[in-house]
Amino acid sequence: MDLGAIADNWRTLAALSAPAECAAVVKANAYGLGVDRVAPALWRAGARTFFVAHFKEALALRALLPDAVIYVLNGLLPDTADDHAAAGLRPVLGSVAEITEWSDYCRDNGTDLPAAIHVDTGMHRLGLSLEEAVQLAGTYRMLGFTPSLIMSHLACADTPGHVLTARQRMVFADVARRFPNVPGSLANSAGTLLGRDFRFELVRPGIFLYGGVAITGVPPLRPVARLEVKVIQVATAPAGETVGYGAAQRLKRASRLATVSIGYADGLFRAAGSSDLAKGVEAILAGRRCHLVGRVSMDLATLDITDLPEGAVERGDTAVFLGDGISVDDLAARSGTIGYEVLTSLGARYARRYVGG
Ligand SMILES: *Cc1c(COP(=O)(O)O)cnc(C)c1O
């Protein structure tokens, strides 16, 4: 994990976004990369506002970053206002019930604690309806607290030119202006790249910090994750034999095979395997790209090394699944998924090594 690349990627987005503030989304263990190392690196780079999904993630982050502003995207579960307050966390309030609970807590305790308000502008996942938001706008000064952020989330910003993106921006601009003096935030990574009109006062990038593609067709920033696994056996098999569970791939030629120590329990998706019908992911062995042969097992996968010079690969060698030109999104595309899922599925059995921090 290249912490220097993450810091650089954040600085690139911060420079692009100014004068809007550039926050950092570090939910799901910083997209699987390791929040205990990633969050302090982002703080050193200059990030001051962080977003996580869960209260427990926020507590862990608070222990790492005592002075950071921390928002909890999944909002306030019943009877947890005091827990949030005690740790100085800001829930992202997405319903009238949550707003009422936070407001009551603040009033009962004679304290004005910041929290964000989430408005649904067309994704229909979380947030106040437009009617609720408009009604709140007329009365929010009577709440027991001062909202510190008014936010919404884009559903399709990764797809260039999607009509919903433009519609959500217009709706959000209309809602945000009804909350004067409350900073607005609409943009994830993709939204941040869409231009000034999408950035409002604060942007919330995640995937772009971690070397993933944010908008289809727009190149990512510096790659962050490199994935190396060990070859544990090199063998040959005659033409006509099959490889792996389900005998899903029959060899068309006498083959040399390298079995590597990675499987679906490590986040190499079963959909990444090969069969007679489709080629699966590639990994680099001895400087060359080799395809998987047959299905991905729980702990193992097999690579076709027939095209490499004999003796080029030995037991104990390293196969590269991410890095040296194989991006997170390359691996994702050949696994039928997206970079986000590749990163957040990186297995617990890997030894994570950090450089550039
Ligand atoms: C995850 C998330 C983000 C970050 O999205 P990326 O596409 O990774 O940049 C921003 N805002 C919200 C509400 C999120 O859930």
Side-chain angles (χ1 to χ4, degrees), residues 25 27 119 201-202:
V25 180
K27 62 194 181 190
V119 181
E201 280 74 41
L202 180 136

Side-chain angles (χ1 to χ4, degrees), residues 319-354:
V320 178
F321 278 77
L322 281 178
D324 295 342
I326 301 180
S327 72
V328 168
D329 290 273
D330 293 337
L331 181 54
R334 286 187 184 268
S335 309
T337 183
I338 54 176
Y340 299 74
E341 199 180 16
V342 166
L343 289 180
T344 56
S345 302
L346 288 174
R349 295 194 289 197
Y350 298 132
R352 281 165 167 70
R353 213 170 61 235
Y354 294 86

Side-chain angles (χ1 to χ4, degrees), residues 77-92:
L77 281 166
D79 305 318
T80 61
D82 51 347
D83 297 328
H84 285 75
L89 306 174
R90 302 185 181 186
V92 175

Side-chain angles (χ1 to χ4, degrees), residues 13 24-27 31 51-53 73-74 92 118 123 125-126 151-154 158 185-192 203-210 213-214 340:
L13 278 183
V25 180
V26 295
K27 62 194 181 190
Y31 289 45
F51 289 82
V52 292
L73 287 166
N74 284 13
V92 175
H118 191 162
M123 187 166 183
R125 187 178 69 169
L126 283 178
M151 61 167 268
S152 189
H153 191 47
L154 295 166
D158 56 337
S185 178
L186 177 64
N188 59 351
S189 298
T192 304
V203 297
R204 312 184 305 268
I207 194 71
F208 219 43
L209 301 175
Y210 307 122
V213 165
Y340 299 74

Side-chain angles (χ1 to χ4, degrees), residues 116-132:
I117 290 173
H118 191 162
V119 181
D120 177 22
T121 52
M123 187 166 183
H124 298 288
R125 187 178 69 169
L126 283 178
L128 297 180
S129 70
L130 288 181
E131 297 69 38
E132 288 167 338

